[in-house]
Amino acid sequence: MNLHLEKGKGKREKGKVKITGSKSETNRLLLLQALYPNLTLENTSNSDDSEVMSRALNSQLTIHNSQLIDVHHAGTAMRFLTSFFAIQEGKEVVLTGSSRMKERPIKILVDALNQLGAEISYEENEGFPPIKIKGKKLTQSKVSLPANVSSQYISALLLIAPKLKNGLELTLEGEITSIPYIKMTLALLNEIGVTTSFVGNKISVKSQFTIHNSQFTIESDWSSASYWYSIVALSEIGFQVTLSSYKENSLQGDSALVNIYQDFGVETTFNTDNSITISKERIHNSQLTTHNSQLNNSPDIAQTIAVTCFGLGIGCDLTGLHTLKIKETDRLEALKTELTKLGAEISVTNDSLHLKPNDLFKSGNSHPLEGCPKGGVATYQDHRMAMAFAPLALKVPVIINNAEVVSKSYPDFWNDLALVGIIGSEVN
């Protein structure tokens, strides 16, 4: 489905949107719920990734011999399920995924689990899915791995740690990235009564075989909120949107949006009903020609920020993006290709993005994005590419190719845009 987006006629002043639970928190808690069945969850994510995770975890109840489990594009599910099935004694599964998933490395996690006593092997290419897992009782408790890898490898180990006989002592070698996601995992473990510590480069998790009945209401997804921050930033002064349900002391690294988007004239108010109101209070600082952000702790919002800056005509220097190379697509190269097509001057490295200021959207310019209406924005089977570029419709009509990819994390996205006057129609 290719979707033509444009700003609807009529004055836009405010909107109200309900966003389902964080995919990051949901997938962690779904795994913990499978380990501790008396854990109950509310406001779970309705994303494809969480649906895949839930189905796979439920399937383990009926596995007798060997079973093939396809996680499609769900990277978090691939990493978390690798650890989960490694400790399901007597059960055997093969985890596979899309063609892109078979290109995403998993060797670091597999090596760590095998060091702990797991039995995991590769079905096709060494270091990549599909993988065969024979569930065993893991008796070792100490392991180390590089600290600058995706935090999902680290969280995958931490989530099963309470069910290991001797717990887990994990040493991270080098500079640690994505610390908020590691802290999120540890905080969720703490909330169900598991004892953990994180000192320097060492993390320990004590064994915990039972928990008291516990109920979680999952916070809404800050990554999904990022597109609304972009919409507000690209709107006229006075526009606002209210989103539910968010916490001022969030565990999610992408809550950095609150501070980052102040550069673009966007203010955030935390309301008493756990909603937030984000509003365009002023034009971005006229002295600001280039926005700078270090995104080690929140790389998933890099695409959103880059497109926001492009739409505002300002430049940006974004760093700490090395994990974007192994996502649903190489997100840095994808951003470079699509923004260049739209007239941007942009360069990328292995861990950074540099966008030059532009005057494409100055008053009087007509249809500055000639490449977009003709060919559309390619999304590379990446949900975040589709949603990051959508707010540009406030500046000029755009076409988003393969728009259905948003179901991976935010299935209601296109319907929600209509609530604030961004109109979508299918095109051939």
Side-chain angles (χ1 to χ4, degrees):
M1 175 183 72
N2 298 339
L3 200 60
H4 178 273
L5 298 174
E6 60 183 343
K7 182 180 177 180
K9 296 178 181 180
K11 191 174 182 181
R12 301 163 58 254
E13 293 182 345
K14 62 179 63 177
K16 191 168 186 178
V17 178
K18 177 176 175 58
I19 296 178
T20 63
S22 158
K23 178 166 68 79
S24 298
E25 287 191 24
T26 296
N27 286 354
R28 285 161 171 78
L29 287 163
L30 284 173
L31 191 151
L32 289 173
Q33 185 181 52
L35 296 176
Y36 303 101
N38 56 339
L39 183 60
T40 59
L41 306 177
E42 294 184 359
N43 196 37
T44 55
S45 171
N46 65 347
S47 65
D48 284 354
D49 279 15
S50 293
E51 290 294 326
V52 165
M53 187 83 177
S54 181
R55 286 196 302 270
L57 290 168
N58 288 333
S59 73
Q60 62 91 18
L61 299 173
T62 58
I63 293 174
H64 299 295
N65 295 313
S66 181
Q67 181 168 324
L68 178 70
I69 295 176
D70 187 345
V71 302
H72 306 290
H73 301 304
T76 306
M78 174 61 73
R79 279 79 178 260
F80 289 3
L81 292 172
T82 297
S83 285
F84 176 79
F85 284 111
I87 63 170
Q88 300 306 303
E89 295 179 57
K91 297 182 179 181
E92 182 177 304
V93 300
V94 172
L95 284 183
T96 189
S98 64
S99 57
R100 174 58 179 169
M101 185 61 65
K102 293 180 180 182
E103 296 172 350
R104 298 178 69 178
I106 199 165
K107 187 176 190 303
I108 290 173
L109 176 58
V110 169
D111 285 351
L113 287 165
N114 284 343
Q115 286 178 42
L116 292 171
E119 188 174 343
I120 306 173
S121 58
Y122 301 103
E123 293 286 274
E124 294 178 10
N125 297 318
E126 182 81 11
F128 299 88
I131 54 177
K132 178 182 286 187
I133 307 169
K134 295 182 179 180
K136 297 176 62 178
K137 184 176 184 178
L138 307 189
T139 57
Q140 301 300 311
S141 62
K142 296 183 179 180
V143 72
S144 62
L145 72 165
N148 65 345
V149 298
S150 169
S151 63
Q152 292 175 10
Y153 297 139
I154 299 166
S155 289
L157 294 170
L158 299 178
L159 288 167
I160 64 166
K163 284 291 189 174
L164 303 184
K165 179 180 179 182
N166 299 308
L168 181 68
E169 293 182 26
L170 176 60
T171 301
L172 302 177
E173 299 173 341
E175 182 181 355
I176 305 172
T177 58
S178 298
I179 290 177
Y181 288 101
I182 299 172
K183 288 185 174 179
M184 174 195 292
T185 302
L186 294 174
L188 294 174
L189 288 171
N190 293 158
E191 287 194 48
I192 65 171
V194 176
T195 301
T196 70
S197 70
F198 186 2
V199 180
N201 67 338
K202 294 185 182 297
I203 304 175
S204 67
V205 179
K206 301 294 185 184
S207 60
Q208 181 84 27
F209 295 108
T210 60
I211 63 168
H212 298 298
N213 286 331
S214 187
Q215 181 172 311
F216 273 83
T217 299
I218 298 168
E219 182 186 22
S220 294
D221 193 73
W222 277 98
S223 303
S224 296
S226 74
Y227 313 112
W228 294 99
Y229 274 85
S230 187
I231 287 166
V232 172
L234 296 175
S235 295
E236 297 175 355
I237 292 175
F239 178 71
Q240 67 181 42
V241 64
T242 298
L243 309 175
S244 61
S245 306
Y246 290 93
K247 303 174 184 176
E248 196 163 3
N249 59 343
S250 175
L251 299 174
Q252 299 175 52
D254 289 347
S255 61
L257 289 161
V258 172
N259 293 324
I260 290 171
Y261 268 77
Q262 288 180 342
D263 258 5
F264 311 135
V266 178
E267 296 295 333
T268 305
T269 302
F270 287 86
N271 304 315
T272 55
D273 63 352
N274 290 327
S275 66
I276 57 171
T277 298
I278 52 179
S279 55
K280 183 67 175 283
E281 298 293 336
R282 62 190 183 282
I283 297 175
H284 68 273
N285 185 348
S286 60
Q287 302 301 312
L288 178 69
T289 58
T290 300
H291 169 80
N292 295 280
S293 278
Q294 214 293 339
L295 298 174
N296 259 346
N297 292 334
S298 49
D300 281 345
I301 58 176
Q303 290 147 293
T304 312
I305 295 169
V307 176
T308 300
C309 289
F310 177 67
L312 291 173
I314 64 178
C316 65
D317 290 321
L318 308 179
T319 57
L321 307 181
H322 63 280
T323 60
L324 297 189
K325 303 290 285 185
I326 59 169
K327 295 288 187 175
E328 285 78 352
T329 185
D330 181 335
R331 286 179 172 166
L332 292 175
E333 288 297 329
L335 276 170
K336 179 182 177 181
T337 298
E338 297 310 305
L339 285 171
T340 298
K341 184 169 73 177
L342 304 181
E345 291 185 63
I346 181 175
S347 61
V348 299
T349 70
N350 282 332
D351 68 350
S352 64
L353 178 149
H354 309 279
L355 174 71
K356 290 186 177 181
N358 71 80
D359 61 0
L360 292 170
F361 298 97
K362 278 190 175 178
S363 179
N365 284 356
S366 61
H367 261 306
L369 308 185
E370 285 297 328
C372 199
K374 289 181 180 178
V377 173
T379 52
Y380 305 85
Q381 297 184 323
D382 184 351
H383 55 131
R384 301 208 185 283
M385 286 294 290
M387 292 185 284
F389 278 85
L392 286 180
L394 294 172
K395 296 291 185 178
V396 66
V398 297
I399 294 173
I400 304 296
N401 294 339
N402 303 119
E404 67 276 5
V405 296
V406 302
S407 65
K408 179 175 169 61
S409 64
Y410 191 168
D412 298 326
F413 182 67
W414 303 121
N415 290 332
D416 287 348
L417 284 193
L419 298 175
V420 296
I422 298 179
I423 309 302
S425 57
E426 289 190 42
V427 293
N428 293 326

